[in-house]
Amino acid sequence: MRKGKEIMAGYGIDNIKEWFKNHVAELRVLDDDAQVLIWKQPGTRMCEIDFVFYKNMVYITGDMRDAVFNTTWRTSWDCNNGWRIGLYYFAEKLSCAKYGKYTWDSKEAVKYLAGEYRQEFGGNDDEYIETISYIKDQHIEDVYDFEMIEIPHKEKFDDDSVLLQMCLAINYANESSSSEEFAQNINLCSDFEDFNDFWEWGYSCGRVLNPDIEVYLIALQMAYDQLSNKEVNVND
Protein backbone atom coordinates (compact mmCIF):
# COMPACT_ATOMS: atom_id res chain seq x y z
CA MET A 1 0.00 0.00 0.00
CA ARG A 2 1.20 3.51 -0.72
CA LYS A 3 2.21 5.83 2.09
CA GLY A 4 -0.47 8.23 3.26
CA LYS A 5 -0.57 11.90 2.42
CA GLU A 6 -2.00 14.90 4.20
CA ILE A 7 -5.54 15.87 3.31
CA MET A 8 -7.69 18.85 4.01
CA ALA A 9 -11.26 18.97 5.17
CA GLY A 10 -12.59 22.42 5.92
CA TYR A 11 -15.65 24.58 6.35
CA GLY A 12 -15.83 25.40 2.64
CA ILE A 13 -14.78 28.69 1.03
CA ASP A 14 -18.35 29.74 0.25
CA ASN A 15 -19.41 29.16 3.86
CA ILE A 16 -16.49 31.15 5.21
CA LYS A 17 -17.21 34.07 2.91
CA GLU A 18 -20.84 33.97 3.98
CA TRP A 19 -19.77 34.35 7.63
CA PHE A 20 -17.83 37.48 6.72
CA LYS A 21 -20.23 39.07 4.23
CA ASN A 22 -21.18 41.89 6.65
CA HIS A 23 -17.72 42.36 8.17
CA VAL A 24 -15.95 45.71 8.13
CA ALA A 25 -12.17 46.03 8.30
CA GLU A 26 -10.61 48.58 10.63
CA LEU A 27 -6.85 49.16 10.52
CA ARG A 28 -4.86 50.69 13.36
CA VAL A 29 -1.21 51.54 12.73
CA LEU A 30 0.59 51.61 16.07
CA ASP A 31 4.16 52.31 14.90
CA ASP A 32 6.59 51.32 12.17
CA ASP A 33 6.62 47.70 13.33
CA ALA A 34 3.08 47.07 14.49
CA GLN A 35 -0.43 47.14 13.04
CA VAL A 36 -3.78 45.86 14.27
CA LEU A 37 -6.45 44.72 11.80
CA ILE A 38 -9.91 44.30 13.30
CA TRP A 39 -12.24 42.23 11.12
CA LYS A 40 -15.78 42.15 12.48
CA GLN A 41 -19.44 42.87 11.85
CA PRO A 42 -20.31 46.19 13.53
CA GLY A 43 -22.23 45.76 16.75
CA THR A 44 -21.28 42.12 17.37
CA ARG A 45 -18.23 39.99 18.16
CA MET A 46 -19.60 36.97 16.32
CA CYS A 47 -16.94 35.65 13.92
CA GLU A 48 -14.66 38.56 14.82
CA ILE A 49 -10.97 38.08 14.09
CA ASP A 50 -8.29 40.49 15.32
CA PHE A 51 -4.91 40.34 13.60
CA VAL A 52 -1.81 41.87 15.16
CA PHE A 53 1.11 42.28 12.75
CA TYR A 54 4.47 42.77 14.46
CA LYS A 55 7.66 42.52 12.43
CA ASN A 56 7.53 38.98 10.97
CA MET A 57 4.77 37.73 13.30
CA VAL A 58 0.98 37.51 13.04
CA TYR A 59 -0.94 37.14 16.31
CA ILE A 60 -4.60 36.19 16.02
CA THR A 61 -7.37 36.41 18.59
CA GLY A 62 -11.09 37.14 18.76
CA ASP A 63 -14.11 34.89 18.34
CA MET A 64 -12.43 32.39 15.97
CA ARG A 65 -9.86 31.00 18.43
CA ASP A 66 -6.23 32.04 18.89
CA ALA A 67 -3.16 31.39 16.77
CA VAL A 68 0.36 32.63 16.07
CA PHE A 69 2.17 32.62 12.73
CA ASN A 70 5.93 33.08 12.46
CA THR A 71 6.71 34.11 8.88
CA THR A 72 9.87 34.74 6.88
CA TRP A 73 8.71 38.20 5.74
CA ARG A 74 7.70 41.49 7.28
CA THR A 75 3.99 41.18 7.91
CA SER A 76 1.30 43.81 7.34
CA TRP A 77 -2.31 43.97 6.22
CA ASP A 78 -1.26 44.35 2.58
CA CYS A 79 1.77 42.08 2.20
CA ASN A 80 2.00 39.23 -0.31
CA ASN A 81 -0.32 40.97 -2.77
CA GLY A 82 -3.15 40.94 -0.26
CA TRP A 83 -2.23 37.61 1.31
CA ARG A 84 -2.56 35.75 -1.99
CA ILE A 85 -0.45 32.79 -0.93
CA GLY A 86 -1.06 29.06 -0.90
CA LEU A 87 -2.98 27.60 2.01
CA TYR A 88 -0.38 24.92 2.78
CA TYR A 89 2.43 27.46 2.56
CA PHE A 90 0.55 29.67 5.01
CA ALA A 91 -0.04 26.68 7.29
CA GLU A 92 3.69 25.96 7.38
CA LYS A 93 4.17 29.28 9.18
CA LEU A 94 1.81 28.34 12.02
CA SER A 95 3.66 28.25 15.34
CA CYS A 96 0.73 27.46 17.59
CA ALA A 97 -3.06 27.32 17.56
CA LYS A 98 -5.77 26.09 19.88
CA TYR A 99 -6.24 22.86 17.93
CA GLY A 100 -2.76 22.71 16.40
CA LYS A 101 -1.84 22.53 12.74
CA TYR A 102 -3.78 19.32 12.18
CA THR A 103 -7.03 17.91 13.51
CA TRP A 104 -8.78 14.55 13.37
CA ASP A 105 -11.70 13.82 11.06
CA SER A 106 -13.33 10.38 11.40
CA LYS A 107 -15.15 10.61 8.07
CA GLU A 108 -11.96 11.47 6.23
CA ALA A 109 -10.19 8.62 8.04
CA VAL A 110 -12.76 6.08 6.84
CA LYS A 111 -12.70 7.53 3.33
CA TYR A 112 -8.92 7.28 3.24
CA LEU A 113 -8.89 3.70 4.56
CA ALA A 114 -11.53 2.63 2.05
CA GLY A 115 -9.37 3.99 -0.75
CA GLU A 116 -6.24 2.25 0.50
CA TYR A 117 -7.86 -1.16 0.91
CA ARG A 118 -9.58 -1.04 -2.50
CA GLN A 119 -6.60 -2.72 -4.16
CA GLU A 120 -7.06 -5.77 -1.91
CA PHE A 121 -10.56 -6.38 -3.26
CA GLY A 122 -11.06 -8.47 -6.37
CA GLY A 123 -14.59 -7.37 -7.23
CA ASN A 124 -16.06 -4.31 -8.90
CA ASP A 125 -16.50 -0.87 -7.39
CA ASP A 126 -20.21 -1.25 -6.65
CA GLU A 127 -19.56 -4.44 -4.69
CA TYR A 128 -16.74 -2.79 -2.78
CA ILE A 129 -18.90 0.20 -1.90
CA GLU A 130 -21.54 -2.20 -0.59
CA THR A 131 -18.90 -3.99 1.50
CA ILE A 132 -17.55 -0.77 2.99
CA SER A 133 -21.05 0.55 3.72
CA TYR A 134 -21.89 -2.64 5.59
CA ILE A 135 -18.67 -2.63 7.61
CA LYS A 136 -19.13 1.01 8.63
CA ASP A 137 -22.43 0.08 10.29
CA GLN A 138 -20.97 -2.80 12.31
CA HIS A 139 -19.11 -2.91 15.60
CA ILE A 140 -16.10 -5.14 14.96
CA GLU A 141 -13.41 -5.27 17.60
CA ASP A 142 -12.05 -8.82 17.44
CA VAL A 143 -12.00 -12.06 15.49
CA TYR A 144 -15.22 -13.26 17.12
CA ASP A 145 -17.18 -10.22 15.88
CA PHE A 146 -15.61 -10.63 12.47
CA GLU A 147 -16.61 -14.29 12.20
CA MET A 148 -20.16 -13.77 13.42
CA ILE A 149 -21.29 -11.23 10.83
CA GLU A 150 -21.98 -11.88 7.16
CA ILE A 151 -19.87 -9.37 5.27
CA PRO A 152 -21.11 -9.02 1.67
CA HIS A 153 -18.67 -10.09 -1.04
CA LYS A 154 -16.26 -11.38 1.61
CA GLU A 155 -15.00 -13.97 -0.86
CA LYS A 156 -13.60 -11.21 -3.10
CA PHE A 157 -10.77 -10.67 -0.62
CA ASP A 158 -7.90 -13.10 -1.20
CA ASP A 159 -6.76 -12.81 2.42
CA ASP A 160 -9.21 -12.83 5.34
CA SER A 161 -6.56 -11.26 7.58
CA VAL A 162 -6.51 -8.18 5.35
CA LEU A 163 -10.29 -7.96 5.49
CA LEU A 164 -10.20 -8.27 9.29
CA GLN A 165 -7.58 -5.53 9.47
CA MET A 166 -9.76 -3.28 7.33
CA CYS A 167 -12.78 -3.95 9.55
CA LEU A 168 -10.84 -3.16 12.70
CA ALA A 169 -9.25 -0.03 11.25
CA ILE A 170 -12.60 1.33 10.03
CA ASN A 171 -14.26 0.50 13.35
CA TYR A 172 -11.64 2.41 15.34
CA ALA A 173 -11.64 5.27 12.85
CA ASN A 174 -15.38 5.64 13.37
CA GLU A 175 -15.14 5.55 17.15
CA SER A 176 -11.95 7.52 17.85
CA SER A 177 -12.01 11.20 18.71
CA SER A 178 -8.35 11.89 17.87
CA SER A 179 -5.45 10.44 15.92
CA GLU A 180 -3.80 9.52 19.23
CA GLU A 181 -6.85 7.54 20.35
CA PHE A 182 -7.04 5.84 16.96
CA ALA A 183 -3.39 4.79 17.12
CA GLN A 184 -3.71 3.58 20.70
CA ASN A 185 -6.81 1.51 19.96
CA ILE A 186 -5.17 -0.25 17.04
CA ASN A 187 -1.89 -0.73 18.89
CA LEU A 188 -3.68 -2.36 21.82
CA CYS A 189 -5.84 -4.60 19.65
CA SER A 190 -4.46 -8.14 19.82
CA ASP A 191 -6.20 -9.05 16.54
CA PHE A 192 -4.48 -6.28 14.60
CA GLU A 193 -1.35 -8.22 13.72
CA ASP A 194 0.69 -5.89 11.55
CA PHE A 195 0.49 -2.53 13.30
CA ASN A 196 4.00 -1.51 12.23
CA ASP A 197 3.34 -2.21 8.55
CA PHE A 198 -0.01 -0.42 8.72
CA TRP A 199 1.53 2.65 10.29
CA GLU A 200 3.96 2.98 7.39
CA TRP A 201 1.08 4.12 5.18
CA GLY A 202 -1.77 4.68 7.63
CA TYR A 203 -0.08 7.13 10.00
CA SER A 204 -1.88 10.12 8.47
CA CYS A 205 -5.28 8.44 8.46
CA GLY A 206 -7.88 11.06 9.42
CA ARG A 207 -5.32 13.82 9.86
CA VAL A 208 -6.56 16.98 8.18
CA LEU A 209 -5.33 20.52 8.10
CA ASN A 210 -6.88 22.63 10.86
CA PRO A 211 -9.78 24.37 9.05
CA ASP A 212 -9.22 27.52 11.13
CA ILE A 213 -6.09 28.21 9.06
CA GLU A 214 -8.15 28.61 5.90
CA VAL A 215 -10.57 30.87 7.79
CA TYR A 216 -7.72 33.19 8.79
CA LEU A 217 -6.31 33.34 5.27
CA ILE A 218 -9.65 34.09 3.63
CA ALA A 219 -10.37 36.74 6.28
CA LEU A 220 -7.05 38.42 5.51
CA GLN A 221 -7.77 38.38 1.79
CA MET A 222 -11.28 39.77 2.20
CA ALA A 223 -10.12 42.49 4.60
CA TYR A 224 -7.35 43.47 2.19
CA ASP A 225 -9.78 43.73 -0.72
CA GLN A 226 -12.09 45.90 1.33
CA LEU A 227 -9.36 48.21 2.65
CA SER A 228 -7.62 48.57 -0.69
CA ASN A 229 -10.87 49.71 -2.30
CA LYS A 230 -11.45 52.58 0.11
CA GLU A 231 -9.52 55.16 2.05
CA VAL A 232 -7.83 53.41 4.96
CA ASN A 233 -8.79 54.89 8.32
CA VAL A 234 -5.67 55.11 10.45
CA ASN A 235 -6.07 55.38 14.21
CA ASP A 236 -3.01 56.43 16.17
Side-chain angles (χ1 to χ4, degrees):
M1 293 181 181
R2 67 181 187 275
K3 291 190 175 182
K5 61 180 181 179
E6 295 167 2
I7 55 179
M8 182 187 72
Y11 303 115
I13 294 176
D14 291 340
N15 288 332
I16 297 171
K17 289 183 176 181
E18 182 68 18
W19 299 343
F20 298 146
K21 67 179 182 179
N22 296 318
H23 275 46
V24 175
E26 177 187 349
L27 179 66
R28 300 177 182 177
V29 178
L30 306 182
D31 56 38
D32 290 342
D33 291 324
Q35 299 175 347
V36 177
L37 173 61
I38 300 172
W39 179 240
K40 62 177 291 187
Q41 181 176 336
T44 178
R45 292 195 72 248
M46 185 177 295
C47 296
E48 176 182 344
I49 306 179
D50 301 329
F51 301 92
V52 178
F53 307 104
Y54 180 69
K55 295 183 177 180
N56 66 307
M57 305 293 293
V58 182
Y59 302 92
I60 298 174
T61 188
D63 186 49
M64 305 294 288
R65 292 168 289 280
D66 304 325
V68 177
F69 289 81
N70 187 343
T71 76
T72 54
W73 60 85
R74 185 180 179 86
T75 61
S76 66
W77 72 276
D78 59 349
C79 62
N80 296 302
N81 190 31
W83 291 93
R84 259 63 187 189
I85 58 177
L87 176 59
Y88 283 99
Y89 181 67
F90 183 54
E92 288 176 1
K93 309 305 177 184
L94 181 70
S95 293
C96 61
K98 183 172 183 179
Y99 297 123
K101 187 175 294 185
Y102 300 101
T103 59
W104 168 260
D105 188 306
S106 292
K107 291 182 179 179
E108 288 294 337
V110 172
K111 180 180 177 181
Y112 174 82
L113 290 169
E116 290 295 305
Y117 282 107
R118 175 65 184 86
Q119 61 185 308
E120 306 293 336
F121 186 76
N124 60 43
D125 287 338
D126 290 339
E127 291 175 337
Y128 186 62
I129 291 172
E130 183 181 350
T131 302
I132 292 295
S133 297
Y134 180 82
I135 291 171
K136 286 194 297 184
D137 291 334
Q138 305 303 309
H139 185 81
I140 304 171
E141 286 191 314
D142 52 36
V143 171
Y144 176 78
D145 295 331
F146 175 73
E147 292 177 346
M148 288 299 293
I149 64 174
E150 295 294 329
I151 300 175
H153 313 297
K154 180 178 181 178
E155 71 282 357
K156 299 298 177 68
F157 282 86
D158 292 333
D159 189 341
D160 280 353
S161 65
V162 173
L163 177 58
L164 172 60
Q165 183 196 77
M166 182 179 76
C167 292
L168 294 170
I170 288 177
N171 177 78
Y172 288 127
N174 270 325
E175 296 188 353
S176 298
S177 59
S178 67
S179 58
E180 292 79 13
E181 182 181 356
F182 175 73
Q184 182 181 41
N185 286 335
I186 288 182
N187 198 24
L188 294 176
C189 178
S190 59
D191 292 310
F192 204 101
E193 297 179 351
D194 60 347
F195 175 84
N196 291 330
D197 175 69
F198 172 81
W199 222 240
E200 282 293 312
W201 58 268
Y203 74 97
S204 62
C205 170
R207 190 178 78 161
V208 300
L209 197 65
N210 184 340
D212 289 345
I213 300 173
E214 185 175 34
V215 173
Y216 301 144
L217 185 58
I218 291 177
L220 284 169
Q221 293 170 353
M222 292 179 68
Y224 166 82
D225 290 343
Q226 188 180 107
L227 287 171
S228 63
N229 286 325
K230 71 177 184 179
E231 180 180 356
V232 177
N233 295 316
V234 178
N235 299 302
D236 293 330

